[in-house]
Structures are given as structure tokens and as C-alpha cells.
């Protein structure tokens, strides 16, 4: 029984350590800062503005995918096919542009296509109750194949179509980064302030309770997978604009795994119900910076993979230890 | 009198400055049922965690067989014979009873499990305690009471001499609870020291030899059960007298609020009829897991009945549709708040407004306004929390139940289904919840109460329909029947 006297008691003054602990994603932030300091000491190239802009451009594509994935995973969903969706979008858009379709039509068709893919995922997961992990892994494989089919295993160049998006800058920052920032900001707003976003937390927290509370779970899930598809499409266009070509291996499972890793490092629960865009941003930055630093230090690609895995592990443990410490 | 097997001496424990236990001393003797009583948050669970080794005390010490035990861990506690059967079942539901009993200790030759030995040893552990359960049954197929018994058998076989039973009869119907009580008495006669935790005062008075009452982390009363009575116990637990008595209610209006006609659902409901007038409380009473526990699924729209109709305020509700059930003005409050009631990771405020916001079609949430809008509901339903707005998973059972009631009853319902509304809740919270339900009738709400507790039915309902094996077997006006007559009627069909 909580007596009124315990309520009135002032909270014990927070120790500096406790205050430090209350900073969200502290462990992740510390790892990121440590890597940045390490990199700037080891190589001058890291803090070079051109390099930083390059990093910003690279992480922008992952950030857009990760934003959609965060919202979906908060609702207890999962989409492994976003990378495959990116591959198909880049392939279709590249073929259309190289065959002389206008940019506007190309964008409309490829985004519509990616939304359709997302809705198919959503429909399978919602109506057949196949585990999202399994269903979307299947579509991921399928889409990777379709992408190869569309470009016939070759590299399709788009010349300087989309170059304003891919290489243009505004106020010294890449346009791609502005697009990513906008997507992240809107997703963060949706997650925190709209009923749709709060529904996602409720569905991920306990789907039965959400349904009984009058939330249209079927509609929300379809929308969430559709949104994940749409953002994959956008990421596909962004990637195409940056690379100016679609080749075998553009997008696909590797990109997908980076996005999943970023979201999970950012503290979003695989079981649903918990997650923040702030954490996802840190996760995306961390992976982007690590990849960049390893490249600059000219470390062999074998060690690169090993290091990325190690960083993932350290960040995940750091995250968990902080959330335990709060209890 | 035999010497105590476990002594707790001057134990104190605090969490982040708030004292959970202050200088508590208790002795547990073999062959004695020792009840721990107190309200939610009085310190019972902290004390249990300390004697089972999950927590270490800040001050004071524990003695087992006269030897001081410093830094007890759950593993060491079990080795010296202290074991705990927690409130939520901890069996591996997909394995057999025998495997569950032998878990972690499977008899094997080399790396091969000797299944005959597993089965035989487990079956003996069960029969020794007079438990008639097949060791080959799958744990998940058993009733909750049987699962509890299997856990008890497991702990006793592992050498448990001090057995902590945390609310073993919560969520059980009268018959199943009686089976558990018989088992407790057999264990006591075998010389086990039993630590029995229960909110049911009459049960404790009948069963316990010795009682220790905690309030705000301190022992407020300790002694033999025969030295106290119901009123005294309540006063020691709450610190004041709690009276929860039926108020005199004006006759309900003639309008029918809820009308259920010929409802059928598998073997659970067979052509079930009931009418509830506005301002009236009608109870459906039956053993746990019988017809009344299907009403929530069917009325909330979670499940489609085989046949039959439900009408709210004279209008038929489309079966099997949650949206239609909500639109009719019916609110269904589950008895299973963990699974179907609340979202554990979300805050109190969000849980309280979860349904209301959706029903109103709200699109944007301003966090400052959220607290403001939730405040009156939190006050009306007396939800108390240490920090302002924690996730509901951190609240005590009583407070969670009040959040659940606030969530649904705050949406201006015209009809309500309440399923075991005071499940796992202490006396004070129970009295508060009862008066909240009384208040509903004053607003002209038709209340259907699905219950497995005769006490609760006697306290709340105007009429009671007794069900057994899915059929209605009797109906009474509550003011023309005694509790014992009602209990006899519930059990009658079994003979």
C-alpha cells in the first residue's frame, strides 16, 4: 500500500551518476563518441569536410529504411524485404529512365510498386498469420531475383537524371541528407503525437488488448507494411540517384541487414512495444561511421566485417546494461 | 512445540530510499501453516524474496536450523530446503508432468535419459502427496489448480522443507481452491513449514495455524490464528476498519440493458439466457473455467458464438465483431488483466485513455494534455503510484485492476460485463472497487458480473444465475439466499 506520506516525500537528490544514466542511449552515444575521437586521432582524412559529407550521403539511404523499420518493429512487425524492395525499385526506375520515361512518371511508378510490395507483405502477415520474419524473408529472396531479372544482370546507367537529388547540395549539406532528416522527423512526430503512432506501440505491447480497445489492428498493420514499402521505394530512388546506376547487388540483403542492425542497436525491441527514432539515428550513424573509418584506415575487408560485428555486440550490450541499471 | 526451521531476525530492506521492510522478525516452524497477510505493497513479496534468496536484506539476518545464512542466493536457499511456488505458474507447458517434476534432475545413465525412472519417480512424488494426476499428461492441458499441485510436488521432491505458496488459490473456483487447501494440510501433517500468502481472509482463518500481518513494511500483528478474527485482521492490515457492505439499491428500471438469448458455444455454453435491467447487477456464478468465463470472449466480440443473440438496449449486436460490441455501448472488463486488459509497457495515463481516445476518434496526442485528461479518471478510481506516471507493469495488482476499470468504466458505458473484478486485489482495494461498481448502477448501467466467487456475488449482485457445465441450473434473488445456500447450489450439480 502506498501511503500518502511516501508520495509527498521529496525524491532523493539524484547523484551525478544517476543523472548521467538518465541520458537516453548513453551507452550508444559513448561508443559513437569514442569511435569518432579514435578516428580523428588516427587519420586526418576523417574530419575532412568532403569525407563527412560522403558519410552523410551514405547513411541517408539506410536512415530512410531504418525509420520505416523502427515504426514497424515497434508494432511488433518485421520486414526483411525492404532491401529487396530497394533493389527492385532501383532496377525498375533505372530501366524506365534509360528508356526515356520522364522522371515524374518513373518516380510515381516505382514508389507505387514499392507500396504494393509492402502491402502484399502486410496482407500475408496479417491474414495468414505467418510469422513476419519468415514471410518477409521469402519475399526478400523473391525480390532480389526480380531485381536481377529487371536489369538482366547488367548495370543500367541513368546518366545525370536525378543528379540534383543524388549529388546536389543545399547550404553545404547533401540533398539526400535533407530528405532523410525530413523522413526521420516526420516518423518521430508520427510515433509520438499521432494516434496511428501510439496504436503501433499498443499493438506491439499487446495485440489482443489493442484490438479489444477499439484499435483497427488489421488496417494499422497493412498501413505499417505499406509505409515500410513506400520508404523502401524512396530509399531506392535515393540510392539510384547517388550511384547513377542500378547494378546486380544494389540494395538487397546486405543493405537490409545494416538497417535492421541500426534499429536494433538503437534500442528498438524485437518483441515490439519499445523503440525511438533517436536511438535509430544513433544506430545508423554508428554503423556508417564505423564503415567509413575502417575504409579510411585501409583495413582489409575481412577485418571490416569482424569489426562491424564486434561494434554491434558492444553497443547492444551497452544498451541493455543501461536499461537494466535504471531498474 | 518444534524449534523453528527458519528464523527471520530484524530484517530491513529499502529500495531507492523507500523502506520496503523495517525490522521484521518472523519464525517458521515445521508442521505449521504460517500465513503472511497484508495489502498490496505491504512488504509481503519483499519478505518472500528475501527468504527465498532472491534479495539480500540491508540489515538483519536469516537463520536456517539455527545456522546464520549470509548472502543467500535462490540456489543456496533451495539447497537448505526453502522453495517457492510463485503466483504465476512456472511449468514448461509443452512438457509432460513427469518431465516438469524432474526438470534439471533427469535420471540418466551416461547421456541417455532413463524415461522409466523419470515417470516412476515423478508419479511417486505425486501419489506421496495424494495428488491424482497422470505423470504422462502434458502440463499445458492441466487446470490451473492441477498445475499448482504439480509445482508443489516438484518442490517437495527436491527437498523443500519450507514451502512458500504465493496466493495459490487466486483465480481458482471454490472446488479447486478446496483441493489446494487439502494439499496444504497434508503437507503440514508431513512436517513441512508452509508460508501461505492469500488475500482471502476467511480462507486464512480456516487454514493457518499462525498469522503474521504486515503493513507498510512492519509487522503489525503476529500470533496464533485462533487469537484473531476477520475484523481484527482487516484492522491490522489496513490500519482502520474497512466496511464493504451491500448498499440499499433502488429497484432497477424496467428497461432491459443486456439481453442474452439461447447463446451456444461449444461445450461451454448451452442455450444460455439472461436479462439484465438497467441499474441492476446480475451475476453469473460457476466454477472457474465454466460458462461464465466464456462470456467475456463472446460479448467483447473476440469470439463468435455458435448461435444465439446478444442485445444491448434492445438492439442486437453483430456477433464476433469488436467494433460492433464497442459501438453498442457495451464495455467488457476482462478478469485476465495481464493478457487481455492492459499494455504493460505503456504508462498509466496511456492505458487509462487507450480505449476512450480510440472511441472518440482522436488523431493527435499532446502529452501535456494527456496527463490532464487522465487525472480525473486516476482520482475517481484511486490509482496510486510512487512516481507520477510509471508503466503499468510496475504497479501492484490492485492498482493495475483500478487502471483497467478506469479505462473501461470512464467511457460512459450503457452496459458492462465485469469478469472477476477483484481478482488478486487486497481488502482495501476490493472495497473501493465494490463501491465503484455500486456507483455504476446509480448511473443506470446494466451490469453483468461473471464470477467464480460466491462472496463477491453476495456482496455485489441483485440476482444470481448459477451455471454448471455450460447450463444454467438455478436463479436466485441474492437477498433471499444465504452464502452457504448459494455455495451448496453451485456444488449441487456435481453430485
Amino acid at each position: 500500500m502506498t501511503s500518502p506520506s511516501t508520495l509527498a516525500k521529496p525524491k532523493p537528490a539524484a547523484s551525478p551518476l544517476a543523472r548521467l544514466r538518465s541520458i537516453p542511449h548513453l551507452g550508444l552515444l559513448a561508443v559513437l563518441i569514442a569511435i569518432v575521437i579514435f578516428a580523428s586521432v588516427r587519420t586526418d582524412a576523417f574530419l575532412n569536410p568532403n569525407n563527412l559529407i560522403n558519410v552523410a550521403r551514405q547513411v541517408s539511404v539506410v536512415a530512410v529504411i531504418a525509420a520505416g523499420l523502427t515504426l514497424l518493429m515497434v508494432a511488433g512487425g518485421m520486414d526483411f524485404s525492404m532491401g529487396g524492395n530497394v533493389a527492385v525499385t532501383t532496377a525498375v526506375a533505372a530501366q524506365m529512365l534509360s528508356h526515356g520515361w520522364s522522371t515524374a512518371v518513373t518516380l510515381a511508378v516505382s514508389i507505387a510498386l514499392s507500396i504494393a510490395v509492402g502491402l502484399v507483405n502486410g496482407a500475408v502477415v496479417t491474414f495468414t498469420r505467418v510469422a513476419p520474419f519468415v514471410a518477409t524473408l521469402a519475399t526478400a529472396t523473391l525480390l532480389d531475383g526480380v531485381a536481377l531479372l529487371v536489369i538482366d544482370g547488367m548495370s543500367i546507367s541513368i546518366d545525370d537524371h536525378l543528379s540534383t537529388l543524388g549529388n546536389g547540395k543545399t547550404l553545404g549539406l547533401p540533398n539526400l541528407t535533407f530528405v532523410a532528416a525530413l523522413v526521420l522527423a516526420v516518423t518521430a512526430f508520427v510515433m509520438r503525437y499521432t494516434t496511428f503512432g501510439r496504436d503501433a506501440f499498443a499493438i506491439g505491447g499487446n495485440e489482443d488488448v489493442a484490438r479489444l480497445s477499439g484499435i483497427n489492428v488489421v488496417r494499422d498493420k497493412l498501413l505499417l507494411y505499406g509505409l515500410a514499402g513506400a520508404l523502401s521505394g524512396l530509399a531506392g530512388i535515393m540510392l539510384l540517384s547517388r550511384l547513377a546506376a542500378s547494378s546486380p547487388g544494389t540494395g538487397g540483403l546486405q543493405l537490409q541487414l545494416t538497417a535492421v542492425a541500426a534499429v536494433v542497436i538503437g534500442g528498438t525491441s524485437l518483441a515490439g512495444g519499445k523503440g525511438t527514432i533517436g536511438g535509430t539515428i544513433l544506430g545508423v550513424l554508428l554503423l556508417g561511421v564505423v564503415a567509413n573509418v575502417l575504409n579510411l584506415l585501409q583495413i582489409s575487408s575481412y577485418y571490416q566485417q569482424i569489426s562491424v560485428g564486434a561494434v554491434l555486440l558492444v553497443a547492444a550490450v551497452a544498451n541493455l546494461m543501461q536499461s537494466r541499471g535504471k531498474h | 512445540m518444534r524449534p523453528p526451521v527458519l528464523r527471520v531476525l530484524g530484517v530491513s530492506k529499502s529500495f531507492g530510499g523507500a523502506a520496503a521492510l523495517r525490522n521484521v522478525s518472523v519464525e517458521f516452524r515445521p508442521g505449521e501453516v504460517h500465513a503472511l497477510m497484508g495489502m498490496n505493497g505491504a512488504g509481503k513479496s519483499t519478505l518472500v524474496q528475501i527468504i527465498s534468496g532472491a534479495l539480500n536484506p540491508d540489515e538483519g539476518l536469516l537463520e536456517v536450523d539455527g545456522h546464520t545464512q549470509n548472502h543467500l542466493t535462490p540456489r543456496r536457499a533451495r539447497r537448505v530446503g526453502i522453495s517457492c511456488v510463485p503466483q504465476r505458474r512456472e511449468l514448461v507447458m509443452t512438457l509432460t508432468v513427469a518431465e516438469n517434476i524432474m526438470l534439471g534432475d533427469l535420471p540418466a545413465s551416461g547421456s541417455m535419459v532413463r524415461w522409466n525412472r523419470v515417470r516412476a519417480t515423478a508419479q511417486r512424488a505425486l501419489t506421496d502427496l495424494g495428488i491424482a494426476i497422470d505423470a504422462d499428461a502434458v502440463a499445458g492441458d492441466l487446470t490451473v489448480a492441477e498445475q499448482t499441485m504439480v509445482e508443489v510436488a516438484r518442490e517437495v521432491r527436491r527437498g523443500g522443507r519450507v514451502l512458500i505458496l504465493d496466493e495459490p488459490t487466486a483465480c481458482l473456483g471454490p472446488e479447486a481452491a478446496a483441493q489446494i487447501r487439502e494439499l496444504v494440510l497434508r503437507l503440514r501433517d508431513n512436517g513441512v513449514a508452509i508460508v501461505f500468502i492469500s488475500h482471502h481472509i476467511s480462507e486464512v482463518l480456516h487454514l493457518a495455524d499462525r498469522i503474521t500481518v504486515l503493513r507498510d513494511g512492519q509487522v503489525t500483528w503476529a500470533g496464533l490464528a485462533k487469537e484473531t478474527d476477520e475484523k481484527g485482521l482487516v484492522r491490522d492490515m489496513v490500519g482502520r476498519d474497512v466496511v464493504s457492505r451491500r448498499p440499499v439499491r433502488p429497484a432497477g428500471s424496467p428497461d432491459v440493458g443486456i439481453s442474452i438469448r439461447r447463446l451456444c458455444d461449444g461445450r461451454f455454453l448451452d442455450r444460455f439466457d439472461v436479462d439484465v435491467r438497467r441499474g441492476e447487477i446480475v451475476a453469473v456464478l460457476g466454477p472457474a473455467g465454466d460458462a461464465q468465463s466464456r462470456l467475456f470472449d463472446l460479448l467483447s466480440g473476440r469470439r463468435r458464438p455458435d448461435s444465439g443473440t446478444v442485445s444491448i438496449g434492445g438492439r442486437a449486436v453483430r456477433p464476433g465483431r469488436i467494433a460492433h460490441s464497442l459501438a453498442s455501448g457495451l464495455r467488457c472488463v476482462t478478469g485476465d488483466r495481464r493478457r487481455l486488459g492492459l499494455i504493460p509497457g505503456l504508462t498509466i495515463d496511456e492505458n487509462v485513455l487507450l480505449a476512450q481516445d480510440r472511441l472518440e476518434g482522436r488523431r493527435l496526442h499532446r502529452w501535456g494534455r494527456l496527463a490532464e485528461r487522465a487525472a480525473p479518471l486516476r482520482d475517481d478510481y484511486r490509482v496510486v503510484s510512487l512516481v507520477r506516471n510509471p508503466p503499468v507493469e510496475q504497479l501492484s495488482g490492485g492498482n493495475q485492476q483500478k487502471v483497467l476499470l478506469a479505462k473501461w468504466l470512464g467511457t460512459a458505458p450503457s452496459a458492462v460485463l465485469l469478469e472477476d473484478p477483484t481478482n488478486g486485489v487486497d481488502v482495501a482495494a476490493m472495497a473501493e472497487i465494490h463501491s465503484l461498481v455500486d456507483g455504476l448502477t446509480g448511473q443506470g448501467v446494466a451490469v453483468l458480473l461473471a464470477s467464480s466467487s460466491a462472496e463477491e456475488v453476495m456482496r455485489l449482485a441483485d440476482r444470481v444465475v448459477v451455471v454448471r457445465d455450460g447450463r444454467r441450473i438455478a436463479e436466485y434473488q441474492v437477498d433471499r439466499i444465504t452464502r452457504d445456500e448459494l455455495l451448496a447450489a453451485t456444488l449441487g450439480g456435481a453430485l
Side-chain angles (χ1 to χ4, degrees), chain A:
Chain A
M1 182 69 197
T2 316
S3 63
S5 63
T6 17
L7 275 179
K9 236 185 255 169
K11 270 210 221 153
S15 68
L17 191 73
R19 218 173 299 155
L20 206 62
R21 272 221 169 117
S22 67
I23 299 174
H25 313 294
L26 179 72
L28 199 50
L29 208 55
V31 175
L32 182 59
I33 291 172
I35 290 175
V36 166
I37 292 174
F38 171 78
S40 24
V41 172
R42 286 298 297 271
T43 161
D44 294 337
F46 180 71
L47 286 181
N48 180 312
N50 278 332
N51 181 55
L52 291 181
I53 283 173
N54 188 29
V55 173
R57 206 178 267 138
Q58 283 171 356
V59 296
S60 297
V61 174
V62 179
V64 169
I65 300 175
L69 196 58
T70 306
L71 188 52
L72 183 60
M73 281 173 63
V74 158
M78 176 46 106
D79 188 349
F80 266 108
S81 70
M82 292 177 83
N85 205 341
V86 166
V88 169
T89 310
T90 54
V92 168
Q95 282 290 20
M96 287 181 73
L97 287 172
S98 68
H99 281 80
W101 291 81
S102 76
T103 312
V105 173
T106 307
L107 289 185
V109 169
S110 38
I111 300 277
L113 188 67
S114 59
I115 293 178
V117 170
L119 287 176
V120 169
N121 277 331
V124 170
V125 168
T126 314
F127 297 118
T128 68
R129 289 167 185 265
V130 173
F133 183 93
V134 178
T136 60
L137 202 58
T139 39
T141 318
L142 195 147
L143 290 172
D144 282 356
V146 169
L148 285 174
L149 203 66
V150 171
I151 55 172
D152 199 16
M154 295 188 296
S155 190
I156 309 288
S157 165
I158 58 161
D159 301 323
D160 58 355
H161 290 289
L162 301 176
S163 66
T164 336
L165 177 64
N167 294 313
K169 279 189 224 164
T170 310
L171 304 169
L173 283 174
N175 287 340
L176 285 176
T177 307
F178 281 104
V179 175
L182 183 70
V183 167
L184 289 166
V186 170
T187 313
F189 177 83
V190 166
M191 278 171 73
R192 190 155 169 79
Y193 294 105
T194 68
T195 295
F196 178 62
R198 298 319 295 173
D199 282 359
F201 280 90
I203 294 170
N206 188 330
E207 194 174 320
D208 284 320
V209 174
R211 193 174 288 122
L212 285 167
S213 302
I215 293 174
N216 192 336
V217 174
V218 169
R219 185 201 61 194
D220 279 358
K221 276 184 153 179
L222 284 175
L223 279 175
L224 283 164
Y225 280 96
L227 186 68
L231 288 175
S232 312
L234 178 60
I237 297 295
M238 289 165 71
L239 188 61
L240 181 63
S241 76
R242 183 163 76 79
L243 301 175
S246 171
S247 345
T250 305
L253 209 55
Q254 192 57 46
L255 180 64
Q256 174 69 43
L257 289 179
T258 312
V260 172
V263 174
V264 173
I265 290 177
T268 297
S269 159
L270 280 165
K274 287 194 178 82
T276 57
I277 284 293
T280 297
I281 293 174
L282 284 177
V284 169
L285 285 179
L286 183 68
L287 289 180
V289 167
V290 168
N292 179 255
V293 170
L294 293 172
N295 262 326
L296 292 179
L297 296 177
Q298 297 182 313
I299 289 173
S300 105
S301 65
Y302 309 144
Y303 285 108
Q304 288 201 13
Q305 283 214 11
I306 294 175
S307 323
V308 170
V311 166
L312 223 166
L313 211 57
V314 169
V317 172
N319 251 332
L320 209 68
M321 278 171 55
Q322 189 186 12
S323 64
R324 278 218 195 110
K326 267 184 200 160
H327 238 60

Side-chain angles (χ1 to χ4, degrees), chain A residues 1-3 6-7 9 11-12 189 191-206 208-215 219 273-274 327, chain B residues 16 39-42 216 296 300 302 322 326 338-344 346 350 354-355 358 362-367 384-387 393-394 407-408:
Chain A
M1 182 69 197
T2 316
S3 63
T6 17
L7 275 179
K9 236 185 255 169
K11 270 210 221 153
F189 177 83
M191 278 171 73
R192 190 155 169 79
Y193 294 105
T194 68
T195 295
F196 178 62
R198 298 319 295 173
D199 282 359
F201 280 90
I203 294 170
N206 188 330
D208 284 320
V209 174
R211 193 174 288 122
L212 285 167
S213 302
I215 293 174
R219 185 201 61 194
K274 287 194 178 82
H327 238 60
Chain B
M39 310 227 285
N40 298 320
D216 297 334
F296 174 79
S300 68
R302 242 171 79 79
I322 292 170
L326 288 172
R338 279 204 189 89
R339 202 165 61 82
L340 299 176
L342 299 172
I343 298 183
L346 294 187
E350 277 190 278
L354 191 64
R358 299 323 184 271
R362 177 177 291 270
R363 294 206 175 280
L364 287 177
H365 298 260
R366 278 160 60 192
W367 288 74
V384 187
S385 61
L386 272 169
V387 285
E393 62 196 347
Q394 291 173 14
K407 169 185 167 183
W408 286 117

Side-chain angles (χ1 to χ4, degrees), chain B residues 425-439:
Chain B
V425 156
D426 67 48
V427 260
M430 193 182 286
E432 282 174 356
I433 289 172
H434 286 162
S435 60
L436 286 170
V437 176
D438 291 334

